[in-house]
Amino acid sequence: MTDRPETPLLDLVQRPADLKHLSDAQLRQIADEVRVETISAVSVTGGHLGAGLGVVELTVALHAVFDTPRDKLVWDVGHQCYPHKILTERRDRIRTLRMKNGLSGFTKRAESPYDPFGAAHSSTSISAALGFAVARDLGGVTPEGAGDAIAVIGDGSMSAGMAYEAMNNAGHLGKRLIVILNDNEMSIAPPTGAMSSYLSRLYAQNPFQDFKAAAKGAVSLLPEPFREGAKRAKEMLKGMAVGGTLFEELGFSYLGPIDGHDMDQLLPVLRTVKDRARGPILIHVLTKKGKGYAPAETARDKGHATAKFDVVTGEQKKAASNAPSYTKVFAEHLMKAAQDDDKICAVTAAMPDGTGLNLFAERYPSRCFDVGIAEQHGVTFSAALAAGGMKPFCTIYSTFLQRGYDQVVHDVAIQRLPVRFAIDRAGLVGADGATHAGAFDISYLSNLPGFVVMAAADEAELAHMVATAAAHDNGPIAFRFPRGEGTGVDMPERGIPLEIGKGRIIQEGTGVALLSFGTRLSEVEKAAESLAAKGIRPTIADARFAKPLDRNLILDLAARHDALITIEEGAIGGFGSHVAQLLAEEGVFDTGLKYRSMVLPDIFIDQAGPADMYAVAGMNAEHIEAKVLNVLGVASLGEVRA
């Protein structure tokens, strides 16, 4: 007995080449079966459901028409790639999506030759596809061969400047390149659908150069009610931020819009493009995010990211929360600060829900700005808000802030502007894996002159750090916090500004001092409990600040203990490196202090649960305990005399 859907035709398809033998009617059936298989798989694993459902027909059509993996198909972003994985020899593992030792939730070169380019951050696909096209024409060699280069880019991804930089270059080079704009922001009214079908038939029957001429006369051939619909469609396109005229000015032939769920439109257009395209061409495809699954279609985010769920009801199976999430604590205390200070505003880059700023926007809509997938712009925009007398909280995931680093340096740090960086998803984040890990922000911010860099040890500390940032007007300040629930500590009604550069002692002990930066503090405390049973009572301190360092605290710990160990959820070059620099310059190592720094290892850690990822990193309580015993020269985990 199985609860998996019946997919008799899909069961015969192992790889895209198997689609070549199917009729168009059978391809439509394949699309239906891929959709139910996607829903079934994500109900088991959780993940990004809506985006994949929106491109089912497009995925089937692309693999049926083109010759992957010889033809390079680049998905932007990888949220769309689940149906693609089902069709490319990975269906037997599709229920391991985003799990430890399972399939990545994004495209991944190391996983399959059908993933020619990883795309977990957005707006890179056109640049990548152009690179493949130029490599092809220069005689580049890949194991699968060199064919067409196809980028499938979401309309949200088109808000980033990199996409236009790539199109500008592609238009200049004139290489054969196919870009498919997956636009799921615009519904298709029946007249527009009829118009698109008519133009698709015209296009499939005529050479490229005749298409525009035929299209000009198409409206006059339609019945009167449809003429009005076609005119409305034209006006809608004119009103869009990106339209055919702009693409053509950049050197692309523009086709569309066409209905991305109608195989009778997709197949002939893609076949004709494959047969006749010469230079760069953009196909504008209209889709519906969450298509074919009512709970996703009716959800506010169209089923963008879901936990495991019941297929029949769509109800998500989320574990009961024991403590508020860090993101919610941040949002609530930012709103409290904004209530007291009308100069506080918030900026996010297409992640209002993920950063909690959707709550802020509901209460203070005039002071909340979603700039789209444009982190560079968001940082510079925040810098000018600060220069203009506002108090901006630039709220971006750690991994996404990397995309705006040049602006952090030049537009914020050099000008000493008081931008408050609220850095969500710090540390290892779980199922999204290496591409979304917040591993580098401690390092890449702490080396900037004049920056204040904080990390919250728990949700109460986060409340205090929001208040600290709100009160700080002397240059840029950043605070980081992880994904997920807090530790369940008592929460203050209001955060209290911390003294800049001052840490705190959590527990006094002897012999060894554990200096934690961030939320590994709870693991440090667990390790200390286990060590106490062995007669070892370490001192525990919470640094709070990576920059400026609490010199007095660090030097005091070094003076009073035989060993000092720092612990942080970041890559080498961060907090521990700054502590080591301080100790070296002060000559502390000359007198024999034993010093160790626990950081994320010099590898990219694949997706798993956060605890499993930290186990790979060697940063859970048992690893901290082992580090203490090792530095004290204890050979085993047996009993130790006090």
Side-chain angles (χ1 to χ4, degrees):
M1 186 70 179
T2 178
D3 57 359
R4 294 189 180 185
E6 293 186 6
T7 53
L9 192 54
L10 181 60
D11 293 344
L12 303 177
V13 174
Q14 298 298 316
R15 56 191 59 84
D18 297 334
L19 299 173
K20 306 292 184 185
H21 313 296
L22 302 181
S23 67
D24 288 2
Q26 288 175 312
L27 291 175
R28 286 192 289 273
Q29 181 180 337
I30 287 287
D32 293 339
E33 294 182 10
V34 167
R35 177 167 280 109
V36 297
E37 177 71 350
T38 301
I39 294 167
S40 174
V42 180
S43 75
V44 173
T45 65
H48 295 94
L49 177 64
L53 296 183
V55 296
V56 167
E57 288 81 8
L58 179 59
T59 304
V60 173
L62 283 168
H63 280 300
V65 171
F66 291 94
D67 301 313
T68 57
R70 179 177 179 272
D71 292 334
K72 311 305 180 189
L73 180 56
V74 183
W75 294 95
D76 187 356
V77 290
H79 297 155
Q80 307 173 87
C81 74
Y82 299 178
H84 162 78
K85 294 199 176 196
I86 289 171
L87 292 173
T88 53
E89 303 183 27
R90 286 170 280 184
R91 187 186 177 193
D92 60 336
R93 292 180 287 153
I94 200 65
R95 286 166 177 78
T96 69
L97 273 169
R98 295 158 48 90
M99 295 179 178
K100 184 178 181 180
N101 300 321
L103 294 178
S104 169
F106 305 100
T107 51
K108 187 174 182 180
R109 279 176 53 82
E111 187 177 287
S112 170
Y114 292 95
D115 294 355
F117 202 81
H121 287 186
S122 81
S123 316
T124 60
S125 59
I126 304 176
S127 298
L130 179 59
F132 280 120
V134 171
R136 171 198 66 208
D137 293 350
L138 290 175
V141 177
T142 67
E144 301 79 31
D148 273 318
I150 307 124
V152 182
I153 182 166
D155 58 293
S157 297
M158 289 296 290
S159 65
M162 185 175 177
Y164 295 96
E165 294 172 15
M167 293 190 70
N168 183 57
N169 189 210
H172 169 72
L173 293 175
K175 301 291 184 182
R176 173 176 162 121
L177 170 71
I178 300 161
V179 175
I180 297 174
L181 171 57
N182 172 29
D183 179 357
N184 57 35
E185 289 296 320
M186 197 160 107
S187 62
I188 308 169
T192 311
M195 179 66 173
S196 295
S197 296
Y198 179 71
L199 294 181
S200 296
R201 290 196 303 274
L202 279 178
Y203 179 72
Q205 297 166 6
N206 291 277
F208 269 16
Q209 58 269 29
D210 294 340
F211 179 67
K212 287 184 182 178
K216 286 180 180 178
V219 172
S220 63
L221 299 176
L222 292 173
E224 186 60 39
F226 288 88
R227 294 186 198 178
E228 185 58 34
K231 290 176 183 176
R232 285 200 305 271
K234 185 177 181 182
E235 291 304 312
M236 290 170 76
L237 280 174
K238 281 185 177 179
M240 290 179 62
V242 288
T245 301
L246 174 58
F247 294 131
E248 289 170 351
E249 289 297 324
L250 289 171
F252 276 69
S253 297
Y254 172 83
L255 297 177
I258 64 174
D259 183 346
H261 301 298
D262 186 347
M263 298 289 273
D264 291 337
Q265 294 184 44
L266 285 171
L267 289 168
V269 168
L270 291 177
R271 286 166 179 155
T272 308
V273 166
K274 179 177 172 61
D275 289 344
R276 304 177 187 172
R278 295 294 179 266
I281 185 166
L282 184 138
I283 307 170
H284 185 174
V285 175
L286 303 181
T287 64
K288 186 174 183 178
K289 194 173 182 180
K291 173 71 174 179
Y293 184 55
E297 289 186 12
T298 56
R300 192 173 70 87
D301 66 352
K302 305 300 182 186
H304 173 71
T306 72
K308 300 175 184 180
F309 61 90
D310 182 279
V311 172
V312 176
T313 66
E315 182 179 355
Q316 296 188 39
K317 303 172 183 177
K318 293 185 177 180
S321 176
N322 297 316
S325 72
Y326 282 97
T327 299
K328 186 174 182 180
V329 169
F330 160 70
E332 290 177 345
H333 283 269
L334 182 61
M335 288 188 290
K336 290 178 180 179
Q339 181 180 339
D340 297 336
D341 189 340
D342 64 5
K343 297 298 185 290
I344 288 176
C345 55
V347 177
T348 182
M351 295 298 295
D353 290 13
T355 59
L357 290 189
N358 57 320
L359 304 174
F360 187 94
E362 290 174 5
R363 187 172 300 180
Y364 302 109
S366 66
R367 289 193 268 159
C368 191
F369 307 94
D370 182 353
V371 300
I373 303 177
E375 291 84 3
Q376 292 173 286
H377 162 62
V379 172
T380 302
F381 175 57
S382 297
L385 282 170
M390 297 299 290
K391 297 181 178 180
F393 279 73
C394 187
T395 308
I396 299 177
Y397 290 4
S398 172
T399 184
F400 297 153
L401 186 58
Q402 293 162 189
R403 295 160 64 99
Y405 185 62
D406 185 65
Q407 287 67 33
V408 172
V409 176
H410 287 269
D411 298 338
V412 177
I414 288 177
Q415 302 190 95
R416 294 191 58 81
L417 288 169
V419 175
R420 290 90 172 154
F421 289 93
I423 304 174
D424 202 335
R425 302 316 197 260
L428 303 178
V429 297
D432 283 332
T435 61
H436 283 54
F440 308 110
D441 59 274
I442 305 171
S443 303
Y444 70 64
L445 294 180
S446 293
N447 63 10
L448 297 178
F451 239 93
V452 174
V453 180
M454 304 180 284
D458 54 45
E459 60 269 40
E461 283 291 292
L462 177 56
H464 297 317
M465 289 181 181
V466 173
T468 305
H472 186 75
D473 284 316
N474 184 26
I477 187 168
F479 55 97
R480 72 192 314 252
F481 51 97
R483 180 180 188 176
E485 296 176 3
T487 59
V489 299
D490 292 335
M491 289 296 297
E493 177 61 29
R494 293 278 182 140
I496 300 172
L498 304 172
E499 183 179 352
I500 298 297
K502 293 298 178 184
R504 57 177 179 151
I505 295 290
I506 304 297
Q507 168 184 300
E508 285 286 6
T510 59
V512 60
L514 303 177
L515 179 57
S516 177
F517 181 67
T519 54
R520 285 292 97 182
L521 179 62
S522 61
E523 294 296 309
V524 169
E525 292 175 322
K526 291 176 186 176
E529 290 178 8
S530 182
L531 287 166
K534 299 175 175 63
I536 300 173
R537 180 175 172 81
T539 294
I540 302 174
D542 174 17
R544 284 177 165 163
F545 294 85
K547 191 166 190 177
L549 291 173
D550 188 338
R551 294 171 56 90
N552 292 336
L553 172 65
I554 294 168
L555 294 175
D556 178 64
L557 292 174
R560 294 193 293 114
H561 298 83
D562 299 322
L564 173 62
I565 302 173
T566 62
I567 303 98
E568 64 189 294
E569 298 160 308
I572 189 171
F575 171 67
S577 295
H578 284 257
V579 172
Q581 178 75 14
L582 169 64
L583 295 173
E585 292 300 322
E586 293 294 326
V588 175
F589 294 133
D590 301 348
T591 59
L593 176 74
K594 296 178 180 179
Y595 176 73
R596 302 290 186 272
S597 181
M598 298 185 72
V599 299
L600 296 179
D602 193 27
I603 59 173
F604 290 106
I605 300 176
D606 287 336
Q607 75 277 355
D612 285 335
M613 295 182 81
Y614 280 112
V616 172
M619 294 189 68
N620 287 330
E622 61 268 28
H623 305 107
I624 298 169
E625 178 185 358
K627 181 71 74 172
V628 170
L629 295 173
N630 176 267
V631 78
L632 293 179
V634 179
S636 71
L637 294 180
E639 291 296 319
V640 179
R641 293 187 181 275

